[in-house]
């Protein structure tokens, strides 16, 4: 359902320009040890990174997005494996990339990160995290402290073709709603709280098939 009301509208498919290798090279961000300057993504979204606070401070990546993006996959904060390799969902055990490819009937995921990003963008999928920075020991959301949020509403206004936020787990959803849920600027968009693609199993989500079934709800927004 939406932040205010579920929408059943289906927009016409638009042609997506796959970013060049030069543009893709600008879509990563340094880890917490070196991230102390403002970076600008290929999409033109500037991300201000706070100075390093302590060894437990971590920072999220710039958004992966373009004008044709319809669904914003919003996580909480990249885990340690992702931060180490400077990649969205860089933990090979995370289900996200297998889910996104699987939603399009593909069983094999591109090995190169740049190709995975190009695949997401060409299928109208954007990526970001609700948190700009936090302190956290390890990768679990339960360990997150000292949260600083990203300006997600500003991104929604800058990219009006976004029709849906697909929250990757409860932490992303709950944090977004606590900070932004009542803003008029986010009322136009559908908000879907989806099971986390984390490799940690739950009673309801144990396999790739379980997650694929749950994430099918974003497919109509990609048309």
């Amino acid at each position: 359902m939406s932040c205010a009301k579920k929408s059943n509208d289906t927009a016409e498919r638009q042609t997506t320009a796959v970013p060049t290798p030069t543009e893709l090279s600008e879509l990563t961000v340094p880890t917490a040890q070196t991230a102390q300057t403002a970076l600008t993504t290929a999409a033109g979204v500037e991300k201000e990174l706070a100075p390093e606070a302590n060894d437990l401070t971590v920072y999220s990546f710039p958004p992966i997005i373009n004008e044709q993006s319809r669904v914003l996959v919003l996580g909480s904060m990249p885990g340690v494996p992702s931060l180490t390799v400077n990649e969205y969902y860089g933990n090979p055990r995370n289900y996200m990339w297998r889910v996104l490819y699987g939603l399009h009937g593909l069983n094999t995921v591109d090995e190169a990160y740049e190709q995975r990003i190009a695949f997401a963008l060409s299928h109208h999928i954007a990526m970001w995290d609700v948190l700009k920075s936090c302190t956290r020991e390890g990768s679990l959301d339960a360990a997150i402290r000292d949260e600083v949020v990203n300006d997600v509403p500003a991104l929604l206004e800058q990219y009006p073709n976004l029709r849906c936020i697909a929250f990757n787990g409860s932490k992303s959803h709950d944090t977004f709603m606590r900070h932004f849920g009542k803003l008029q600027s986010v009322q136009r968009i559908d908000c879907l709280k989806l099971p986390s693609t984390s490799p940690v199993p739950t009673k309801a989500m144990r396999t790739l098939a379980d997650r694929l079934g749950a994430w099918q709800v974003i497919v109509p927004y990609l048309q």
Side-chain angles (χ1 to χ4, degrees):
M1 64 175 64
S2 71
C3 297
K5 180 181 179 181
K6 183 176 178 63
S7 169
N8 293 318
D9 294 338
T10 301
E12 295 182 357
R13 181 181 296 276
Q14 299 182 23
T15 301
T16 300
V18 177
T20 65
T22 299
E23 291 173 323
L24 286 169
S25 68
E26 298 174 356
L27 294 176
T28 56
V29 64
T31 57
Q33 285 78 11
T34 59
Q36 298 187 17
T37 60
L39 297 180
T40 302
T41 70
V45 178
E46 187 176 81
K47 178 177 175 54
E48 296 292 341
L49 297 179
E52 181 179 350
N54 57 56
D55 291 342
L56 298 180
T57 302
V58 291
Y59 304 90
S60 60
F61 304 137
I64 303 294
I65 194 167
N66 64 19
E67 295 293 341
Q68 286 73 44
S69 297
R70 306 283 184 80
V71 173
L72 173 62
V73 174
L74 195 66
S76 53
M77 172 64 68
V80 172
S82 296
L83 293 171
T84 300
V85 297
N86 282 341
E87 294 180 3
Y88 275 97
Y89 303 102
N91 183 347
R93 296 177 58 231
N94 192 287
Y95 288 97
M96 176 56 74
W97 291 111
R98 284 173 284 171
V99 165
L100 295 184
Y101 278 70
L103 291 176
H104 295 87
L106 300 174
N107 296 322
T108 303
V109 175
D110 288 310
E111 183 175 351
Y113 180 61
E114 291 79 8
Q115 291 179 308
R116 280 177 266 150
I117 293 300
F119 177 89
L121 290 174
S122 68
H123 289 83
H124 312 300
I125 298 167
M127 292 182 176
W128 207 15
D129 289 289
V130 70
L131 295 180
K132 177 178 182 178
S133 67
C134 67
T135 58
R136 184 190 62 198
E137 185 171 6
S139 296
L140 296 179
D141 285 346
I144 289 176
R145 302 289 185 272
D146 305 319
E147 302 176 0
V148 177
V149 294
N150 276 314
D151 193 352
V152 182
L155 191 78
L156 300 180
E157 292 183 2
Q158 185 173 355
Y159 293 92
N161 285 330
L162 286 170
R163 303 172 57 210
C164 167
I165 301 177
F167 295 100
N168 188 13
S170 297
K171 176 63 177 178
S172 169
H173 173 271
D174 295 349
T175 302
F176 179 89
M177 290 301 177
R178 183 169 65 253
H179 288 275
F180 309 123
K182 295 182 179 180
L183 295 181
Q184 186 176 0
S185 60
V186 304
Q187 297 304 303
R188 69 170 181 83
I189 198 163
D190 286 5
C191 297
L192 306 178
K193 181 180 178 181
L194 298 175
S196 172
T197 59
S198 164
V200 178
T202 66
K203 289 183 179 180
M205 294 289 136
R206 293 187 175 276
T207 66
L208 172 60
D210 293 334
R211 290 165 175 82
L212 265 174
W215 280 75
Q216 286 285 340
V217 295
I218 74 171
V219 173
Y221 296 94
L222 302 175
Q223 304 304 315

